[in-house]
Amino acid sequence: MDELATLRAWWERPAVRPAIVWGRRRVGKTALLQHFASQTGARVVFHTGTGEASAAEIASLSRQAAIALPDTRRNLAAEPYRDWRDMLDYLARAAETSPVLLVLDEFPELIKASPALPGILRAFLDHLRESAKLKIILSGSAIRTVEEMREYRSPLYGRFDLTLQLHPFRPHEAALMLPDLTPADRARVYGIVGGTPLYLSWWNQRATIADNLLDLAGRPGSPLLTEGQLVMATEVGEGEHTMGVLTAIAAGRTKHSEIKDAIGTDPSRTLDRLIELRIIERLLPVTEQGTRSRRRVYRIADNYLAFYLGPLTRFRAEIERGLGRSIIRPLAAFIDDHMGPVYEEAFREHLRRLANDGNLGDGVVAIGAWWTDDGQQEIDAVVMAQRALTRVPVLAGESKWASSVNAARIKAGLIRKAASLTQDANDLRYAVCARDDVEHADQDTLTVTAKDIFSP
C-alpha cells in the first residue's frame, strides 16, 4: 500500500516534525495508523479524541500511556497528566532512551475541548531537540478543520514533515475486499458502496445483489440508509440549497445552468462549499485542465453518496414506511442506469493505472473526459501527453456498461468524434471498454473489461 510506504519513509527520517493524516470518515485512517504503529517497533501511545472535556481526554490518554510506558517513578493511573504540556514533556523524556510514537487520532475532536492545543503543540515542537526519538501523528476526519490547521494563520503552519490525505479505494483496490465475486459484480458493488473499506466489508459475497440491497438498504435503520443520513449531517451539513444541488447532480443535472434551473437560483456558493468539502468535484474537458474554463460540469465525488442521493433517495421514504422488500426489485433495476458514469470513471482510473505502469507510452500528463462546447461530441476518456511544450491527445476511449460491444463499430464512432478533438484523429490510439466482452477489435485497439479494471 502506497500510504503505508509513505508513513514508513516518514518514520525513518531523523527530523522530529509531526505527520498529519486526514480524510473523510470511514476511509480507513485508524486502521492504517494502527497497522503502521504495530510495525514501527516503538512504544506507542494511541489516543482517539472523543470531544469530551479536556480533563477526561487527558485522563484517558494517561491510561493509554501507563500501558505503553510503564514507569515505576510515576503511577499514571493514580497521577494522570496535569495538562497537555505535562503529557508532551513526559513523552519527550520517555523517548530519550528509545523511540516513542504518539498518535492523536481525531485531533479536531481534541481541539473542540482544548482550542489552545495547536499552540501548545507548536511551542513544544519548536523546543524539541532534533535528537529526540518522539514522533507524533495527528489524524482527523473533519476535513475543514484539518485544512485550517495547514493554513498560514494556523499555529501549526509549516510544522508538518508529512501531510497524507487518504482516499477511498480505487477499483483494483476495492477488488481485494471482494475476492469471491465476479468482476462484473465487483463493479456493481463498487458502484453501490464506493471504495470506502467499511462499506465494502458490509457486503455479503455469498448473497445476491438483491439480498444485499434488502439487508443493507431495504429496512428502516439499515446501514446504507443511516450512513447516508450521518454523512449528510456530519460532513455536508445544512445549507439553504444543499440538498437541492446534490439531488440535482445525482439525477444527472450536472451543468451549472441545469442545477440553477433545478433549484431556481444561482448555485455557485453552494457548489463552491461542496467542492471545498470534497462532496462534489468540478469537471473540465481534459484539454482545458489548468485553465479558467467556464465549462462547469459537476459530479458527486463518491459512488456511495451518488447511489444514496440518486436511486436510494428515490425510494427512501417508502423503505422507511416498511415497503422495502417490495421496493428492492425496482431499486435494483436502477443500478444499470446508475452504473454508466460510475463505470466510465472506473475506466479512466484503469487508464491512469496503465499510464503509471508505463503502458500508455511516455509523457502522459492527464487523463479525463472531453466534450465540445455544444455538447454534441463527447469522449469518455482522452489521454494527453506532453510533446515538447505542447499537450497533445494520444488515445481516445469509450466505455459501455453493456455485457458485450462491437469494438469496430465503436472505434469508427470514436474516430469521427476525435476529428473535433485533433487534426490527427487517424493517428490516435483507441480503447474500447465493456463489462464482459469486447468483440471484433483489431490489434491496435486497447480492449478493457471489468476483469481488467477490478483485478488487484
Side-chain angles (χ1 to χ4, degrees):
M1 180 184 289
D2 293 341
E3 293 86 355
L4 193 58
T6 300
L7 284 168
R8 288 172 181 154
W10 167 80
W11 177 258
E12 295 298 328
R13 295 175 195 159
V16 296
R17 294 199 303 176
I20 182 168
V21 178
W22 62 296
R24 286 184 49 200
R25 296 172 61 258
R26 315 293 203 190
V27 82
K29 298 181 298 298
T30 300
L32 172 68
L33 292 176
Q34 287 175 336
H35 183 63
F36 164 71
S38 69
Q39 295 187 335
T40 61
R43 295 169 293 169
V44 179
V45 179
F46 199 114
H47 176 71
T48 300
T50 61
E52 295 181 278
S54 178
E57 297 278 14
I58 292 172
S60 176
L61 200 154
S62 298
R63 290 191 292 272
Q64 296 293 328
I67 297 170
L69 308 169
D71 187 346
T72 57
R73 296 168 297 175
R74 180 173 180 176
N75 183 353
L76 287 172
E79 186 187 351
Y81 301 125
R82 296 183 299 277
D83 51 33
W84 293 109
R85 291 182 181 85
D86 185 25
M87 180 272 294
L88 292 168
D89 290 340
Y90 182 94
L91 295 184
R93 288 193 299 272
E96 290 176 355
T97 55
S98 62
V100 173
L101 172 62
L102 170 64
V103 180
L104 296 177
D105 196 13
E106 294 301 345
F107 189 70
E109 294 298 320
L110 299 178
I111 297 175
K112 287 181 182 179
S114 303
L117 181 55
I120 293 170
L121 183 56
R122 177 194 62 187
F124 171 78
L125 293 170
D126 287 349
H127 292 90
L128 188 62
R129 294 193 305 271
E130 287 292 325
S131 60
K133 297 182 177 66
L134 173 64
K135 292 269 192 171
I136 301 173
I137 298 178
L138 310 180
S139 174
S141 300
I143 293 177
R144 181 173 291 168
T145 303
V146 173
E147 288 192 324
E148 287 173 356
M149 289 166 50
R150 300 163 57 216
E151 292 178 354
Y152 179 75
R153 66 178 182 272
S154 168
L156 290 172
Y157 174 78
R159 264 86 176 173
F160 296 107
D161 245 5
L162 171 66
T163 299
L164 177 62
Q165 182 182 6
L166 297 192
H167 298 280
F169 285 159
R170 292 170 291 180
H172 67 284
E173 295 166 333
L176 290 168
M177 297 190 66
L178 304 168
D180 298 334
L181 298 184
T182 65
D185 277 347
R186 291 175 188 170
R188 291 185 178 94
V189 175
Y190 184 71
I192 294 169
V193 302
T196 301
L198 178 65
Y199 306 163
L200 288 164
S201 72
W202 289 343
W203 198 269
N204 182 356
Q205 298 178 65
R206 295 182 296 277
T208 65
I209 297 285
D211 286 343
N212 271 284
L213 286 175
L214 180 60
D215 289 340
L216 297 177
R219 300 184 178 92
S222 52
L224 293 183
L225 284 178
T226 56
E227 188 66 18
Q229 294 163 353
L230 183 62
V231 170
M232 295 302 293
T234 60
E235 297 189 29
V236 179
E238 295 183 359
E240 185 178 359
H241 303 294
T242 298
M243 276 304 298
V245 167
L246 288 173
T247 53
I249 296 173
R253 299 176 181 179
T254 58
K255 296 179 181 178
H256 190 274
S257 59
E258 293 171 339
I259 300 168
K260 181 178 180 179
D261 290 342
I263 68 172
T265 189
D266 186 357
S268 297
R269 290 182 62 184
T270 301
L271 288 167
D272 288 344
R273 186 177 72 86
L274 292 172
I275 290 171
E276 179 186 359
L277 293 172
R278 291 178 169 78
I279 300 299
I280 66 172
E281 60 182 348
R282 179 186 175 186
L283 303 179
L284 294 174
V286 67
T287 51
E288 298 183 21
Q289 290 183 10
T291 70
R292 295 186 176 183
S293 171
R294 296 183 61 83
R295 289 203 263 177
R296 294 174 285 186
V297 176
Y298 303 88
R299 67 182 289 269
I300 307 294
D302 177 80
N303 289 345
Y304 163 66
L305 279 181
F307 178 74
Y308 173 79
L309 292 165
L312 195 53
T313 292
R314 181 185 295 266
F315 298 104
R316 189 178 65 198
E318 294 306 321
I319 291 173
E320 295 288 2
R321 295 186 179 101
L323 202 58
R325 186 173 293 278
S326 175
I327 281 170
I328 290 306
R329 187 179 296 276
L331 175 61
F334 276 89
I335 291 178
D336 279 342
D337 286 339
H338 170 72
M339 284 300 300
V342 169
Y343 201 54
E344 287 176 15
E345 179 58 28
F347 171 48
R348 289 188 287 268
E349 187 60 48
H350 179 69
L351 292 178
R352 294 181 188 111
R353 187 182 177 195
L354 292 178
N356 279 328
D357 290 341
N359 294 322
L360 295 183
D362 297 330
V364 173
V365 292
I367 297 174
W370 173 86
W371 60 93
T372 55
D373 287 338
D374 59 10
Q376 295 301 306
Q377 302 292 346
E378 298 182 11
I379 299 178
D380 296 335
V382 172
V383 177
M384 303 292 291
Q386 191 78 28
R387 297 290 183 263
L389 299 178
T390 306
R391 287 186 175 192
V392 297
V394 294
L395 179 147
E398 186 161 319
S399 167
K400 298 288 187 184
W401 179 247
S403 178
S404 178
V405 298
N406 184 317
R409 184 179 299 120
I410 290 178
K411 181 176 179 178
L414 277 170
I415 293 173
R416 288 194 296 273
K417 294 177 184 178
S420 300
L421 170 69
T422 174
Q423 296 179 345
D424 302 317
N426 289 320
D427 296 331
L428 294 182
R429 187 181 183 190
Y430 291 92
V432 177
C433 176
R435 186 167 73 233
D436 300 307
D437 189 38
V438 179
E439 299 177 338
H440 308 299
D442 60 49
Q443 62 181 3
D444 296 325
T445 300
L446 172 65
T447 61
V448 178
T449 65
K451 185 177 180 181
D452 302 306
I453 297 171
F454 290 89
S455 292

